[in-house]
Amino acid sequence: MLERRPAVRPQPQPPGGPAGTAAGAAAGEDNPWHTGAACRRDEVGLFFAPSKEPTAARLSREEQAKQVCARCPVLLECREHALAQPEPYGVWGGLTAAERRVVLARRRRRDAELREAARVTTARSRIAG
């Protein structure tokens, strides 16, 4: 599936809202996490796929974007932002959209297993108690 590049690169927003808003100010966001992002100094096209991009070109571009992400001081914050939104396009936090979908599916599966384990433990303690 081809990803379409947004007309304008979305600027990541910090948790609690963008700086300068009431939510951002209330959270003490005078300096939002994305101001230190390495990608702010790179070409936008590196992080978002042009329409109908050939597979080899896409893989090469994504690898270059991931190299920028690898040296980024806010990699984890960016990744968590992209997973929480969820961002449907581009490379964020060193992960492609497809890789983020895998991470989200694993998290949902893990959370379901933890809920089930807690339910079983609670049921056993009621029976034993």
Side-chain angles (χ1 to χ4, degrees):
M1 181 170 130
L2 293 175
E3 293 177 300
R4 289 179 293 164
R5 179 179 172 191
V8 177
R9 182 177 183 186
Q11 290 299 312
Q13 298 299 321
T21 66
E29 297 283 346
D30 292 339
N31 190 17
W33 65 265
H34 56 84
T35 60
C39 64
R40 292 178 67 92
R41 297 176 289 281
D42 285 291
E43 171 61 36
V44 172
L46 189 60
F47 297 91
F48 293 95
S51 62
K52 299 182 182 178
E53 180 179 34
T55 301
R58 177 182 54 82
L59 294 173
S60 176
R61 179 189 49 75
E62 288 174 346
E63 185 55 40
Q64 291 173 22
K66 288 178 177 187
Q67 288 173 5
V68 172
C69 292
R71 70 173 192 266
C72 185
V74 294
L75 174 110
L76 295 178
E77 291 90 337
C78 181
R79 181 176 295 171
E80 288 305 316
H81 161 82
L83 292 167
Q85 288 306 312
E87 292 291 352
Y89 304 108
V91 175
W92 291 78
L95 299 175
T96 64
E99 291 166 335
R100 290 191 301 275
R101 285 190 295 273
V102 169
V103 170
L104 289 170
R106 286 180 181 161
R107 284 185 179 182
R108 283 190 297 271
R109 189 170 37 251
R110 182 199 63 213
D111 290 347
E113 289 169 356
L114 290 173
R115 281 191 303 275
E116 178 61 18
R119 188 190 65 77
V120 168
T121 301
T122 302
R124 285 183 181 163
S125 65
R126 286 183 187 154
I127 293 170

